[in-house]
Amino acid sequence: MECSFLFRNFVNTFIQFKKPIIVAVNGPAIGLGASILSLCDVVWANEKAWFQTPYTTFGQSPDGCSSLTFPRIMGLASANEMLFSGRKLTAQEACAKGLVSQVFWPGTFTQEVMVRIKELVTCNSVVLEESKALVRNIMKVDLEQANDKECEALKKIWGSAQGMDSMLKYLQRKIDEF
């Protein structure tokens, strides 16, 4: 099975998931780990968490629908800075830009998250699913198209000599740092 097909299906699972997706980020979120957050419904972060999409550093293009969602969430200039140059966002910056819902102190992170999860599980599941559908379904086709385009771009890059060379150079730098 082709890698881009698996990748496309993985991201589409987030797009099509009917129940709210709640995420608690307790450390670095890099690449797909950061971009996929924009497909989640609530994102809580530890004050010490950070977010980065250093795609150009290792010869990749955006994924996880970030080419569509990042500009919509944080504006074009901030999205471009993050996607093109791999700028690292602190949890507070990610919250201010709309990628993260709320930031909690490290010492109380788990407790704060659990309190909110307990509140959410008491809600009527049908109401939560219908609310999500109202918010997300408007963008569903756009997200699926963005995912398709991103996967095609990745397939093109992964299949090119220049793309492979960029990835190998990145890996060699990491090995040399180690």
Side-chain angles (χ1 to χ4, degrees), residues 162-177:
Q162 188 178 12
M164 289 305 294
D165 188 51
S166 293
M167 285 186 266
L168 290 172
K169 284 180 181 174
Y170 172 77
L171 292 172
Q172 187 60 53
R173 282 193 310 268
K174 289 299 173 189
I175 290 168
D176 292 344
E177 290 172 12

Side-chain angles (χ1 to χ4, degrees), residues 15-167:
I15 295 168
Q16 297 162 1
F17 201 74
K18 293 183 184 333
K19 295 179 181 180
I21 300 172
I22 313 300
V23 178
V25 182
N26 198 21
I30 304 169
L32 182 60
S35 63
I36 206 84
L37 295 174
S38 60
L39 298 177
C40 298
D41 301 295
V42 178
V43 179
W44 297 312
N46 182 316
E47 175 72 30
K48 295 190 184 276
W50 50 272
F51 308 84
Q52 187 178 28
T53 53
Y55 298 118
T56 56
T57 305
F58 50 87
Q60 299 261 117
S61 58
D63 58 24
C65 298
S66 59
S67 63
L68 174 71
T69 58
F70 278 21
R72 285 186 178 179
I73 291 169
M74 61 182 83
L76 188 59
S78 291
N80 286 344
E81 186 177 34
M82 202 169 169
L83 294 171
F84 298 167
S85 70
R87 180 171 179 263
K88 188 186 296 186
L89 295 181
T90 66
Q92 290 295 343
E93 288 173 317
C95 189
K97 293 181 184 296
L99 186 62
V100 168
S101 312
Q102 238 178 325
V103 177
F104 303 115
W105 291 107
T108 60
F109 179 71
T110 303
Q111 295 87 339
E112 295 284 356
V113 167
M114 292 311 295
V115 164
R116 283 156 182 78
I117 288 173
K118 287 176 183 173
E119 289 171 2
L120 278 172
V121 298
T122 63
C123 296
N124 181 317
S125 62
V126 173
V127 171
L128 287 173
E129 286 182 35
E130 290 300 320
S131 297
K132 177 176 178 166
L134 289 168
V135 172
R136 290 285 185 169
N137 282 350
I138 295 168
M139 302 180 344
K140 197 174 196 177
V141 171
D142 291 343
L143 290 169
E144 289 169 346
Q145 288 174 349
N147 186 32
D148 287 343
K149 288 176 185 173
E150 289 174 354
C151 286
E152 288 305 313
L154 286 169
K155 182 178 175 183
K156 183 178 177 181
I157 290 166
W158 292 342
S160 73
Q162 188 178 12
M164 289 305 294
D165 188 51
S166 293
M167 285 186 266

